[in-house]
Amino acid sequence: MSEKNEPGLWDGFKAFLMRGNVVDLAVAVVIGAAFTNIVNSVVQGVINPLVGAFGTKDLDHYSSCLKAPCSMKADGTVESGIPIMWGSVLSATLSFLITAAVVYFLMVLPMAKYLARQAARKAEKEGTQEVMEISELEVLKEIRDALVAQRGSGHDER
């Protein structure tokens, strides 16, 4: 017989799904997918033409020929030779750097500053509470001392 104290498979699965980390991760993946389209558009529409302005063509078309002669068809397939498409690697690297910079400066850095402010407020609140506790303790000690002194002087008079 199985014990009823053990959580079932379904209960464990529900607990896993309801964890904050899983939900946060799902949101991050969805936002990341949407953000990837924006970054790719910026790289393809702005960065590549700017880099291409210094050369003669779009960044994705820059290549070197490892085994000559290299020729490509109009649709981008290789006819002969072994081309190294370093322009597309550079484009992907720029996409990554732009994505990393935007995520850091627009998401990670503000969140870190916000959490630091929250921690400072919490520490300040705890510090104030500690001072109040210390002052309460001092007042209680004074009351105790006054009662002891009063009791001591009462014994002397008898």
Side-chain angles (χ1 to χ4, degrees):
M1 278 189 192
S2 66
E3 294 181 24
K4 287 290 182 184
N5 293 344
E6 273 186 43
L9 183 63
W10 181 249
D11 292 333
F13 183 66
K14 282 190 333 188
F16 169 73
L17 287 180
M18 296 318 249
R19 270 199 207 146
N21 296 349
V22 173
V23 174
D24 291 344
L25 183 60
V27 169
V29 167
V30 170
I31 289 175
F35 187 69
T36 299
N37 292 333
I38 294 171
V39 170
N40 287 339
S41 296
V42 169
V43 170
Q44 296 298 323
V46 177
I47 304 294
N48 285 354
L50 287 175
V51 172
F54 296 107
T56 58
K57 50 190 166 186
D58 192 18
L59 188 60
D60 283 337
H61 295 99
Y62 283 93
S63 64
S64 298
C65 192
L66 186 62
K67 183 176 179 185
C70 285
S71 61
M72 307 269 289
K73 293 181 184 176
D75 65 353
T77 58
V78 178
E79 279 186 340
S80 66
I82 302 175
I84 305 285
M85 305 300 289
W86 59 268
S88 59
V89 174
L90 183 58
S91 177
T93 303
L94 288 173
S95 294
F96 171 77
L97 291 175
I98 291 170
T99 304
V102 169
V103 166
Y104 179 76
F105 289 112
L106 295 182
M107 295 176 192
V108 173
L109 195 60
M111 182 57 80
K113 287 182 180 181
Y114 171 75
L115 292 175
R117 280 195 307 262
Q118 291 295 88
R121 285 183 191 151
K122 185 177 179 183
E124 181 179 312
K125 188 176 180 181
E126 287 176 356
T128 304
Q129 186 176 1
E130 187 176 304
V131 168
M132 287 174 42
E133 288 174 1
I134 290 173
S135 62
E136 286 178 10
L137 185 61
E138 292 297 323
V139 169
L140 289 172
K141 285 181 181 178
E142 289 175 11
I143 292 171
R144 181 201 62 201
D145 292 344
L147 287 173
V148 168
Q150 201 175 37
R151 191 180 316 155
S153 64
H155 286 292
D156 291 339
E157 293 176 3
R158 289 187 189 174

